């Protein structure tokens, strides 16, 4: 048996030896991609390279990524960066926040885009490849991704294992390592232009579900509360924004009012300005959307200007952005 | 936990080390704990249920042997086995609609939401088979409950078989104390082969098959033909992949499970095909249903076999699921087998004019296509969908695939690699049957201890590991997990 164990270890030796260098090769090259996972690596890299020290940070999921920091900067005469994380819910937004404050300074103001699914129970880990190059040995990732059944403990502590079957990530890493690779980042300071035609996502969802009941997750609610408390302690001003949602999409969520009420309660508890665009005229015109949840380029441009002017007006009246 | 996941593979490797490090007398206990832990990780209620199930069968087996009322106990045992299967698996189809009709407001199907009946079709057949063996005197009741419990829950085979025979499995537990290097080498090789079959080949083939059944409305013509051709290959690589993982894992622990496949696509007729495809199930039905039914129906003389074939294949069909489509699946197999039986002479006359090569390949192609067509009933969600599938065949125009078509192969390189590997597997099977001398030479060369050969062999292993790693994470469940 002893000789068999030795032979087995000899056979497995090349595999063990290669685990770490391969992990390093894939992770290092993957981080260079500006297009993979909707350009999220650019933001993660900026976080770890201590490049996010702007005064205003835009937080949220996919409905945040079309908030243009340049418009905010020009109008509010300050610095701004968009940390919108595509397709995920609050625990993942919070994970990015934790990593941000570990490597960068606290912002003066956080504009947080909220939607019906921000605190929802059982959100799938969309775009999970974006965590791969950064999660190895990182406790924050383990803590805030644990609810999602996509990663196991081995992914955090055994090199390379997390790339098991991640073909697209491996292909992208190889592509990035080639001298011919030209990096054309999708995101500019986190902001992304979305030039897309109307998709039939909503009618597909309506056909299969009719209407959708969103159930909020208790632990997400607690985390949300903790986050707001932290911000208050750090004197970081938070603003809630419910960006426009196409009216049919609003009707698709059965308990939408209840969800908005939850956000209102939080805004009252922490004295936070809540800009809710549920009834904005943008919501009634399909030409501004590429699906029920997301604005297209035209809608985003219109909305960015509207939001900034609303923020300026509110600030004049209530002086909530104390430093501007 | 996915059995193709790295976590499962790592845990298996660790378990193997622990298994061979512990005192041999505790190995069966360890395997039982591992198996119970595996089931518990799927559903705790299922674990409790299965303990009760095993205890009842264990007790009834003794009663069948020792009691004066052995027939009554046997009937009771079969009744309990069947009723629990019906309650947990078929209540939506067979019981709830009847209750609804007579105004009883009980939904028995809710029961299966509490006790997730994973693996029920497999362990029930094992339980029934055990009781029949005891009743017929083919084996003695197992005195050690731990051994019997392990027979029911042994984790490599728990989810999707193979359907073990107690008189094949239980005697092996008595010799589980020896360390055999060959078992581990062969076991790991089988596991690796199974992983390649599943994660490389079957998962890529599923890109053709699954979306078409999901979007039947937008699938027609050439896509449906393609799916009919791909159906058998997809099912074979998926299920054979799982079986090899199960067989390999069991072998590492020193247990040889029954085989499930023996180059099925080289069968020249449907009757022969079912002796090579899902063998543990078809042989179970042959031994415990067909033979018993033929014997009991012997009064009907030549019709006895025909009726027995229909009963067997009808039950075979509904074993797969509660739906009319599965019944049709079984019945068409019965029709084909009876047709082959009654036309044997005529077919021999016609085909004897052809060369042996042509005769063999015509048989193989017809059998393959027949299986491909009948699998439409297997993969469809219900009979209506099967009919819709066949209606779609009317429009056979070769449209150019649009971007909205269900079949979208975005990663063409991966798909191409999978096709090459698939052809490699099938080619080796063909060699082993049609050109056994060449196959033997390759096999001898493979086993050789020459340095060059060893290097080649090791390179192939590393390549296979790399392939599994590259293709592995695609979340596609094994087809036979649903039963």
């Amino acid at each position: 048996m002893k000789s068999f164990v030795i032979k087995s270890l000899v056979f497995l030796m090349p595999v063990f030896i290669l685990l770490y260098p391969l992990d390093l090769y894939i992770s290092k090259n993957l981080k260079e991609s500006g297009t993979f996972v909707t350009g999220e690596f650019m933001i993660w890299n900026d976080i770890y390279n201590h490049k996010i020290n702007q005064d205003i940070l835009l937080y949220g999921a996919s409905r945040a990524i079309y908030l243009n920091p340049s418009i905010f900067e020009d109008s509010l005469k300050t610095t701004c960066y968009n940390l919108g994380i595509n397709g995920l819910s609050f625990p993942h937004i919070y994970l990015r926040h934790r990593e941000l404050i570990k490597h960068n300074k606290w912002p003066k103001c956080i504009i947080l885009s909220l939607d019906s699914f921000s605190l929802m129970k059982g959100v799938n880990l969309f775009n999970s490849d974006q965590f791969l190059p950064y999660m190895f040995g990182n406790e924050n990732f383990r803590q805030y991704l644990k609810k999602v059944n996509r990663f196991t403990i081995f992914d955090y502590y055994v090199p390379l294992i997390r790339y098991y079957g991640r073909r697209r990530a491996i292909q992208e890493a190889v592509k990035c390592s080639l001298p011919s690779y030209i990096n054309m980042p999708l995101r500019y300071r986190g902001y992304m232009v979305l030039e897309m035609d109307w998709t039939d996502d909503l009618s597909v969802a309506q056909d299969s579900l009719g209407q959708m009941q969103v159930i909020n997750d208790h632990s997400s609610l607690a985390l949300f509360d903790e986050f707001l408390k932290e911000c208050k302690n750090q004197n970081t001003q938070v603003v809630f924004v419910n960006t426009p949602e196409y009216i049919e999409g609003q009707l698709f969520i059965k308990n939408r009012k209840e969800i908005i009420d939850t956000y209102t309660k939080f805004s009252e508890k922490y004295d936070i300005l809540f800009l809710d665009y549920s009834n904005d005229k943008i919501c009634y015109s399909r030409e501004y959307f590429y699906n029920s949840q997301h604005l297209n380029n035209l809608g985003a441009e219109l909305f960015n200007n509207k939001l900034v002017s609303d923020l300026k007006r509110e600030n004049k009246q209530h002086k909530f952005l104390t430093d501007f | 936990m996915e059995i193709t996941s790295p976590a499962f593979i790592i845990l298996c490797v660790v378990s193997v080390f622990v298994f061979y490090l512990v005192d041999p007398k505790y190995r069966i206990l360890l395997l039982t704990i591992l198996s119970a832990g595996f089931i518990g990780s799927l559903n705790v209620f299922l674990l409790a249920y299965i303990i009760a199930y095993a205890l009842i069968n264990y007790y009834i087996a003794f009663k069948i042997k020792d009691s004066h009322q052995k027939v009554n106990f046997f009937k009771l045992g079969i009744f309990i086995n069947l009723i629990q299967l019906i309650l947990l698996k078929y209540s939506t189809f067979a019981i709830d609609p009847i209750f609804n009709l007579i105004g009883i407001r009980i939904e028995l199907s809710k029961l299966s939401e509490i006790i997730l009946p994973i693996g029920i079709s497999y362990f029930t057949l094992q339980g029934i088979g055990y009781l029949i063996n005891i009743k017929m005197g083919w084996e003695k009741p197992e005195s050690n409950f731990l051994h019997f419990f392990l027979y029911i829950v042994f984790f490599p085979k728990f989810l999707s078989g193979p359907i073990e025979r107690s008189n094949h499995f239980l005697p092996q537990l008595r010799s589980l104390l020896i360390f055999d290097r060959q078992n581990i080498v062969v076991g790991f090789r089988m596991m690796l082969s199974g992983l390649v079959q599943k994660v490389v080949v079957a998962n890529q083939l599923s890109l053709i098959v699954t979306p078409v059944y999901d979007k039947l409305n937008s699938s027609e013509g050439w896509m449906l033909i393609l799916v009919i051709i791909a159906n058998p290959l997809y099912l074979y690589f998926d299920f054979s992949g799982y079986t090899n993982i199960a067989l390999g894992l069991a072998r590492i622990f020193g247990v040889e499970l029954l085989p499930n496949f023996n180059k099925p696509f080289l069968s020249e007729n449907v009757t022969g095909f079912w002796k090579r495809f899902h063998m543990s199930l078809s042989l179970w039905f042959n031994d415990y249903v067909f033979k018993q039914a033929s014997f009991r129906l012997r009064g009907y003389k030549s019709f006895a076999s025909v009726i027995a074939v229909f009963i067997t294949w009808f039950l075979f069909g509904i074993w797969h699921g509660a739906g009319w489509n599965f019944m049709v699946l079984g019945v068409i197999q019965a029709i084909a087998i009876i047709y082959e039986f009654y036309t044997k002479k005529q077919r021999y006359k016609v085909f004897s004019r052809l060369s042996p090569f042509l005769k063999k390949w015509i048989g193989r192609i017809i059998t393959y296509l027949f299986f491909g067509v009948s699998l439409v009933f297997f993969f469809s969600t219900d009979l209506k969908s099967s009919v819709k599938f066949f209606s779609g065949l009317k429009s056979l125009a070769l449209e150019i695939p649009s971007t909205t078509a269900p079949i979208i192969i975005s990663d063409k390189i991966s798909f191409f690699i999978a096709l090459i590997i698939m052809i490699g597997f099938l080619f080796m099977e063909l060699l082993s049957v049609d050109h056994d001398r060449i196959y033997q030479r390759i096999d001898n060369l493979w086993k050789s201890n020459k340095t060059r050969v060893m290097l080649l062999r090791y390179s192939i292993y590393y390549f296979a590991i790399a392939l599994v790693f590259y293709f592995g994470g695609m979340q596609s469940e094994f087809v036979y997990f649903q039963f």
Side-chain angles (χ1 to χ4, degrees):
Chain A
M1 186 172 168
K2 200 177 165 188
S3 75
F4 177 74
V5 171
I6 293 167
K7 275 186 182 171
S8 305
L9 289 174
V10 169
F11 173 74
L12 290 171
M13 195 66 82
V15 178
F16 290 137
I17 291 172
L18 280 172
L19 283 179
Y20 194 71
L22 275 176
D23 187 313
L24 213 63
Y25 166 80
I26 296 173
S27 299
K28 186 181 165 291
N29 288 300
L30 197 56
K31 285 177 189 173
E32 298 301 315
S33 174
T35 50
F36 194 58
V37 285
T38 51
E40 296 287 350
F41 293 144
M42 298 293 100
I43 302 169
W44 287 110
N45 291 344
D46 282 349
I47 289 174
Y48 294 113
N49 294 331
H50 319 284
K51 284 185 178 169
I52 304 182
N53 292 301
Q54 282 80 356
D55 288 334
I56 295 183
L57 296 184
L58 307 168
Y59 278 23
S62 53
R63 279 164 63 179
I65 63 174
Y66 44 65
L67 299 179
N68 189 344
S70 303
I71 298 178
F72 283 73
E73 288 182 347
D74 293 346
S75 236
L76 299 170
K77 307 289 176 231
T78 181
T79 51
C80 182
Y81 193 103
N82 188 330
L83 283 152
I85 186 165
N86 196 14
L88 298 165
S89 59
F90 187 72
H92 314 116
I93 296 168
Y94 188 70
L95 162 67
R96 183 169 268 185
H97 166 75
R98 296 294 329 161
E99 289 298 292
L100 172 97
I101 55 167
K102 208 159 85 181
H103 300 276
N104 304 273
K105 66 165 192 170
W106 267 88
K108 286 179 181 162
C109 173
I110 292 171
I111 295 173
L112 176 56
S113 159
L114 294 164
D115 56 54
S116 303
F117 313 105
S118 297
L119 302 169
M120 188 179 149
K121 201 173 184 174
V123 174
N124 284 326
L125 191 53
F126 176 75
N127 247 355
S128 63
D129 284 358
Q130 67 171 294
F131 304 115
L132 294 172
Y134 312 98
M135 63 187 277
F136 185 61
N138 188 316
E139 276 302 314
N140 272 345
F141 278 83
R142 201 164 85 83
Q143 192 179 343
Y144 298 108
L145 297 180
K146 71 180 172 196
K147 281 218 150 189
V148 188
N149 208 13
R150 194 70 179 87
F151 297 113
T152 65
I153 190 148
F154 300 109
D155 294 315
Y156 297 97
Y157 300 111
V158 182
L160 200 71
I161 291 288
R162 66 192 182 284
Y163 288 105
Y164 176 79
R166 305 272 183 161
R167 267 185 289 150
R168 284 181 59 237
I170 297 169
Q171 284 169 5
E172 187 69 16
V174 173
K175 218 192 288 175
C176 291
S177 71
L178 300 174
S180 55
Y181 178 70
I182 301 165
N183 197 1
M184 293 173 75
L186 279 178
R187 311 278 277 263
Y188 171 69
R189 275 190 284 160
Y191 163 69
M192 188 165 86
V193 181
L194 289 157
E195 198 59 81
M196 285 169 79
D197 292 330
W198 177 260
T199 63
D200 62 350
D201 296 6
L202 180 65
S203 48
V204 171
Q206 281 170 330
D207 286 349
S208 65
L209 297 168
Q211 259 190 318
M212 188 181 177
Q213 176 87 17
V214 174
I215 301 165
N216 280 339
D217 181 37
H218 290 296
S219 60
S220 295
L221 281 163
L223 194 66
F224 191 58
D225 191 62
E226 194 185 313
F227 165 72
L228 296 176
K229 215 180 284 172
E230 262 179 58
C231 291
K232 198 173 180 181
N233 293 341
Q234 293 290 335
N235 286 325
T236 295
Q237 186 68 50
V238 178
V239 177
F240 289 169
V241 180
N242 184 21
T243 66
E245 183 182 357
Y246 184 49
I247 190 68
E248 281 186 35
Q250 293 187 29
L251 297 172
F252 174 65
I253 311 292
K254 210 191 258 178
N255 56 335
R256 192 173 183 279
K257 192 184 170 303
E258 187 189 313
I259 293 160
I260 301 292
D261 287 347
T262 310
Y263 299 141
T264 310
K265 275 180 198 158
F266 276 111
S267 74
E268 285 164 1
K269 184 178 174 186
Y270 289 98
D271 194 20
I272 289 169
L273 173 70
F274 182 16
L275 299 171
D276 181 10
Y277 291 91
S278 300
N279 293 315
D280 192 274
K281 63 177 182 187
I282 295 178
C283 301
Y284 295 87
S285 179
R286 215 173 79 168
E287 64 172 319
Y288 298 122
F289 294 87
Y290 72 82
N291 66 19
S292 69
Q293 297 293 313
H294 301 99
L295 294 165
N296 60 22
N297 204 19
L298 181 69
E301 203 179 321
L302 189 71
F303 176 65
N304 268 299
N305 289 314
K306 186 174 267 193
L307 175 61
V308 169
S309 82
D310 286 348
L311 279 171
K312 274 172 88 173
R313 193 191 60 237
E314 290 288 337
N315 198 34
K316 262 186 194 165
Q317 284 177 14
H318 306 292
K319 295 281 174 212
F320 67 93
L321 293 171
T322 45
D323 289 325
F324 310 113
Chain B
M1 192 187 295
E2 288 264 327
I3 72 162
T4 57
S5 67
F8 184 81
I9 297 165
I10 291 170
L11 289 176
C12 283
V13 172
V14 173
S15 311
V16 172
F17 272 101
V18 176
F19 181 79
Y20 283 107
L21 283 174
V22 298
D23 190 318
K25 64 183 175 199
Y26 297 120
R27 282 180 188 163
I28 290 171
L29 179 66
L30 179 71
L31 275 185
T32 313
I33 292 169
L34 283 173
S35 302
F38 178 70
I39 296 167
S41 75
L42 300 171
N43 184 284
V44 182
F45 295 112
L46 176 65
L47 177 62
Y49 179 79
I50 209 124
I51 292 170
Y53 173 86
L55 276 169
I56 291 168
N57 277 288
Y58 175 77
Y59 174 76
I60 287 177
F62 277 101
K63 286 290 171 189
I64 290 171
K65 185 174 176 282
D66 300 331
S67 167
H68 296 298
Q69 292 183 308
K70 64 193 299 183
V71 177
N72 287 341
F73 271 107
F74 173 70
K75 283 180 182 168
L76 176 71
I78 300 296
F79 174 77
I80 291 171
N81 271 283
L82 290 178
I83 203 73
Q84 58 93 35
L85 180 69
I86 292 165
L87 283 175
L88 287 172
K89 192 173 168 182
Y90 299 102
S91 49
T92 321
F93 181 74
I95 302 176
D96 286 352
I98 298 171
F99 276 8
N100 200 21
L101 210 69
I102 55 176
I104 300 173
R105 292 192 181 275
I106 300 172
E107 275 187 65
L108 281 175
S109 52
K110 294 273 179 212
L111 201 62
S112 60
E113 288 169 21
I114 303 164
I115 307 162
L116 287 177
I118 304 164
I120 190 167
S121 307
Y122 299 92
F123 68 71
T124 303
L125 292 196
Q126 291 178 168
I128 292 174
Y130 173 68
L131 295 182
I132 295 174
N133 283 1
I134 303 294
K135 156 85 171 30
M136 303 301 279
W138 294 336
E139 70 175 303
K140 287 177 184 164
E142 174 58 55
S143 56
N144 188 329
F145 177 70
L146 204 64
H147 286 207
F148 179 71
F149 185 58
L150 187 59
Y151 161 63
I152 299 290
V153 297
F154 186 47
F155 77 99
K157 66 164 180 65
F158 183 78
L159 293 173
S160 297
I163 296 159
E164 262 304 312
R165 302 292 178 90
S166 45
N167 48 3
H168 177 256
F169 184 89
L170 291 167
Q172 294 186 60
L173 297 185
R174 281 161 215 134
S175 58
L176 207 65
L177 314 171
I178 312 145
F179 170 79
D180 184 351
R181 177 186 173 278
Q182 199 54 24
N183 272 345
I184 300 176
V185 174
V186 172
F188 270 114
R189 199 184 293 156
M190 285 176 93
M191 273 187 86
L192 190 57
S193 157
L195 283 166
V196 171
Q197 282 179 294
K198 167 62 185 166
V199 302
V200 181
V201 182
N203 282 358
Q204 288 296 310
L205 289 174
S206 82
L207 297 176
I208 297 179
V209 177
T210 319
V212 169
Y213 289 101
D214 289 346
K215 289 184 181 174
L216 269 179
N217 283 334
S218 49
S219 312
E220 48 182 302
W222 65 273
M223 280 184 216
L224 301 178
I225 296 281
L226 186 65
V227 167
I228 286 176
I229 295 166
N231 274 338
L233 286 169
Y234 168 48
L235 184 62
Y236 174 59
F237 277 94
D238 186 274
F239 195 24
S240 164
Y242 165 80
T243 303
N244 277 335
I245 297 170
L247 260 63
L249 189 54
R251 186 76 182 264
I252 292 168
F253 291 114
V255 178
E256 262 190 70
L257 297 178
L258 290 169
N260 248 350
F261 298 95
N262 181 20
K263 297 125 196 165
F265 300 138
L266 298 173
S267 314
E268 290 163 40
N269 51 54
V270 178
T271 313
F273 178 84
W274 284 109
K275 288 175 184 161
R276 291 159 169 256
F277 193 92
H278 204 173
M279 290 149 69
S280 68
L281 179 68
S282 49
L283 286 174
W284 191 96
F285 272 97
N286 182 56
D287 291 350
Y288 296 118
V289 180
F290 177 72
K291 284 182 183 169
Q292 308 290 326
S294 303
F295 181 73
R296 279 164 200 274
L297 296 165
R298 61 191 182 279
Y300 292 95
K301 290 174 185 167
S302 61
F303 282 110
S305 295
V306 175
I307 302 167
V309 166
F310 266 108
I311 293 171
T312 306
W313 286 97
F314 174 78
L315 292 174
F316 179 93
I318 57 167
W319 174 88
H320 285 88
W324 294 102
N325 51 321
F326 291 116
M327 289 183 201
V328 175
L329 172 75
V331 168
I332 56 174
Q333 306 307 316
I335 292 169
I337 288 166
I338 290 164
Y339 167 80
E340 282 178 355
F341 180 73
Y342 279 107
T343 59
K344 206 171 179 180
K345 280 182 189 166
Q346 291 91 321
R347 282 186 300 118
Y348 181 76
K349 259 186 202 172
V350 174
F351 283 101
S352 58
R353 289 174 207 153
L354 301 172
S355 71
F357 177 83
L358 215 56
K359 193 176 112 184
K360 188 161 67 182
W361 278 99
I362 288 175
R364 283 174 181 172
I365 291 167
I366 291 173
T367 306
Y368 181 89
L369 290 176
F370 170 79
F371 187 55
V373 171
S374 60
L375 282 180
V376 171
F377 296 100
F378 178 90
F379 284 115
S380 299
T381 45
D382 49 30
L383 195 59
K384 215 171 132 189
S385 308
S386 310
V387 173
K388 203 176 191 180
F389 186 102
F390 290 116
S391 327
L393 287 171
K394 280 183 216 157
S395 59
L396 275 178
L398 286 166
E399 309 100 297
I400 297 160
S402 70
T403 48
T404 54
I407 302 173
I408 299 167
I409 311 291
S410 52
D411 188 352
K412 292 186 178 59
I413 297 172
S414 300
F415 191 76
F416 183 71
I417 294 171
L419 282 186
I420 300 283
I421 303 285
M422 181 187 83
I423 291 166
F425 266 103
L426 295 175
F427 183 70
M428 289 310 288
E429 289 191 357
L430 181 71
L431 275 187
S432 71
V433 174
D434 285 3
H435 306 279
D436 55 335
R437 287 170 77 180
I438 302 172
Y439 182 80
Q440 273 311 320
R441 280 173 65 182
I442 296 171
D443 195 43
N444 291 339
L445 191 71
W446 175 262
K447 286 173 186 161
S448 151
N449 278 333
K450 285 179 189 162
T451 317
R452 271 190 216 167
V453 177
M454 275 174 71
L455 275 174
L456 176 74
R457 198 163 60 212
Y458 276 40
S459 308
I460 291 172
Y461 289 150
Y462 289 131
F463 180 64
I465 291 170
L467 275 179
V468 170
F469 181 83
Y470 181 70
F471 281 86
M474 208 168 106
Q475 301 289 309
S476 167
E477 212 180 43
F478 286 96
V479 174
Y480 263 82
F481 274 9
Q482 61 189 296
F483 304 123

